[in-house]
């Protein structure tokens, strides 16, 4: 697990560093006109003005351009915990995203936590239902294939249009500003939670169903049925028996749900980490392009640490669960 997350961290730092350096290059190009000497000195060295500027002048203002991408990315992740020290970067960050880091993190965790509270029991309920009914199992399998082909933003857009063109209050699609109360935040998450659940519980339900369908073929299940035990009690015993692989499947699914949460957060403008990532980019032309590394790196750092902690908890629980003791 340590090796896996170390490799993941290296990959993320490289990607972040590459993105940071690319953004800084775009910003540096906008400063060429402020240095007319470039156009005189560049031809003497057989270089274009842009090449001369990026090699000899830009690194003085943007020293990150000369550092390895992994180092730049790691520094960006660590420094993103707090607002930038530089006044210009702090002002630009505040202009792009006004919600404090702790509040943005809390909103994302609330969205993720509520979604999982609904998603996991719903997946188990549908899996049990499919186990008892072959027709439901076939329907579940077919619907899962269809839903997995639909991007997460599509149901979100449908919900947004439903709110706008219906008697429902438009406040449901208006992002609560900085310092909003918990009730206001929860109210704004009704349809985002529905979007996350409806687009992600299918796959988990199918995986739980496959695990349970294989487990009920074991001899101990037939023995308990012969004893006349209630079917629901037998299925709960099977669920406890598959708890270890189910934890692994749930954790892999959780990582996918986190990606959906980011998309939904940005789509509904909930003021969480998804909107923070979207706010790190501004402009579509080089003349108006802005990239705020701290807004981009902080959500990545949060999810790296969060997934590491959850993975450690899952591995700890696996060592405490012994299906053989349950099935004996």
């Amino acid at each position: 697990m340590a090796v896996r997350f170390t490799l993941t961290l290296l990959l993320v730092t490289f990607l972040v560093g590459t993105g940071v350096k690319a953004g800084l290059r775009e910003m540096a190009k906008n400063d060429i006109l402020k240095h007319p000497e470039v156009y005189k000195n560049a031809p003497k060295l057989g270089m274009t003005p842009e090449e001369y500027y990026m090699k000899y002048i830009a690194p003085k203002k943007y020293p990150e351009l000369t550092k390895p991408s992994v180092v730049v990315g790691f520094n960006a992740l660590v420094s993103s915990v707090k607002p930038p020290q530089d006044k210009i970067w702090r002002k630009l960050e505040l202009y792009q995203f006004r919600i404090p880091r702790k509040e943005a993190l809390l909103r994302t965790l609330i969205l993720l936590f509520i979604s999982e509270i609904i998603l996991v029991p719903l997946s188990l309920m549908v899996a049990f239902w499919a186990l008892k009914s072959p027709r439901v199992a076939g329907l579940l399998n077919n619907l899962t294939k269809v839903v997995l082909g639909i991007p997460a933003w599509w149901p979100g857009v449908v919900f947004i249009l439903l709110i706008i063109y219906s008697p429902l209050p438009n406040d449901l699609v208006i992002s609560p500003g900085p310092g909003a109360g918990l009730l206001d935040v929860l109210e704004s998450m009704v349809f985002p939670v529905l979007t996350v659940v409806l687009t992600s519980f299918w796959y988990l339900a199918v995986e739980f169903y496959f695990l349970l369908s294989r487990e009920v073929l074991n001899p101990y299940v037939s023995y308990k049925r012969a004893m006349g035990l209630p079917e629901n009690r037998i299925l709960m015993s099977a669920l406890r028996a598959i708890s270890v692989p189910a934890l692994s499947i749930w954790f892999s699914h959780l990582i996918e749900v986190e990606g959906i949460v980011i998309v939904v957060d940005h789509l509904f403008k909930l003021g969480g980490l998804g909107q923070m990532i979207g706010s790190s980019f501004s402009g579509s032309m080089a003349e108006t392009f802005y990239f705020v590394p701290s807004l981009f790196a902080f959500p990545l750092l949060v999810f790296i640490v969060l997934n590491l902690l959850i993975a450690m908890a899952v591995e700890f629980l696996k060592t405490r669960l012994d299906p053989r003791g349950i099935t004996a």
Side-chain angles (χ1 to χ4, degrees):
M1 183 178 63
V3 172
R4 183 172 67 248
F5 273 91
T6 299
L7 294 175
T8 301
L9 180 61
L10 289 175
L11 177 60
V12 170
T13 52
F14 175 77
L15 294 176
V16 171
T18 302
V20 170
K21 293 174 70 173
L24 292 178
R25 288 191 190 96
E26 293 295 328
M27 296 180 66
K29 291 178 182 178
N30 297 332
D31 297 335
I32 295 180
L33 296 177
K34 299 178 183 179
H35 300 271
E37 70 276 9
V38 170
Y39 298 91
K40 297 180 181 180
N41 298 332
K44 298 178 182 179
L45 299 177
M47 304 172 66
T48 64
E50 181 176 322
E51 291 174 344
Y52 180 89
Y53 176 79
M54 296 302 295
K55 184 175 182 179
Y56 295 106
I57 299 179
K60 297 178 181 179
K61 183 177 181 180
Y62 306 100
E64 293 86 355
L65 294 176
T66 61
K67 298 179 180 179
S69 296
V70 173
V71 175
V72 174
F74 183 79
N75 292 336
L77 287 175
V78 174
S79 61
S80 67
V81 176
K82 297 180 179 180
Q85 298 296 322
D86 184 81
K87 293 182 179 180
I88 296 178
W89 282 109
R90 191 184 306 119
K91 183 178 180 180
L92 182 59
E93 179 183 298
L94 184 61
Y95 175 78
Q96 295 290 102
F97 191 77
R98 296 182 176 275
I99 297 177
R101 280 167 168 72
K102 291 182 179 180
E103 189 173 345
L105 172 60
L106 181 60
R107 293 186 184 189
T108 298
L109 292 180
I110 290 176
L111 176 59
L112 181 62
F113 183 70
I114 294 178
S115 299
E116 285 295 317
I117 287 179
I118 300 174
L119 189 150
V120 174
L122 179 62
S123 300
L124 287 172
M125 181 183 69
V126 173
F128 282 140
W129 190 14
L131 199 62
K132 297 177 180 180
S133 172
R135 180 178 298 179
V136 174
L139 183 63
L140 173 63
N141 189 32
N142 293 329
L143 286 178
T144 300
K145 295 177 182 178
V146 173
V147 175
L148 290 179
I150 299 176
W153 56 265
W154 193 86
V157 171
V158 172
F159 281 132
I160 291 175
L161 294 176
L162 175 65
I163 296 170
I164 293 175
Y165 294 104
S166 71
L168 294 171
N170 289 342
D171 291 344
L172 294 175
V173 291
I174 298 177
S175 173
L182 180 60
L183 292 180
D184 293 332
V185 173
L186 292 176
E187 181 183 7
S188 67
M189 289 187 180
V190 173
F191 284 94
V193 168
L194 284 176
T195 303
V196 174
V197 171
L198 291 179
T199 56
S200 58
F201 90 91
W202 303 89
Y203 175 77
L204 189 60
V206 167
E207 291 295 325
F208 285 161
Y209 164 72
F210 286 149
L211 285 177
L212 287 169
S213 61
R214 289 192 293 266
E215 186 64 25
V216 295
L217 298 177
N218 287 331
Y220 80 91
V221 175
S222 300
Y223 174 74
K224 289 188 175 183
R225 283 175 176 164
M227 292 176 59
L229 295 178
E231 187 67 17
N232 289 336
R233 183 176 175 182
I234 296 174
L235 292 179
M236 290 303 298
S237 298
L239 178 61
R240 287 193 295 269
I242 65 168
S243 56
V244 172
L247 274 175
S248 298
I249 290 175
W250 170 78
F251 178 62
S252 299
H253 185 261
L254 175 65
I255 296 176
E256 297 179 4
V257 172
E258 289 171 355
I260 297 176
V261 165
I262 291 176
V263 173
V264 171
D265 179 90
H266 179 69
L267 182 65
F268 283 88
K269 299 187 183 303
L270 297 177
L273 300 182
Q275 190 178 354
M276 180 181 288
I277 292 177
S279 300
S280 63
F281 300 92
S282 176
S284 57
M285 302 292 290
E287 295 82 7
T288 58
F289 179 84
Y290 290 100
F291 174 67
V292 185
S294 56
L295 294 180
F296 181 77
F298 179 72
L300 297 182
L301 178 64
V302 167
F303 283 112
I304 289 174
V305 175
L306 178 63
N307 289 335
L308 176 60
L309 295 177
I310 295 177
M312 293 173 61
V314 168
E315 293 299 325
F316 176 80
L317 288 175
K318 284 182 180 179
T319 61
R320 297 297 186 271
L321 296 173
D322 185 7
R324 292 171 299 180
I326 298 175
T327 59

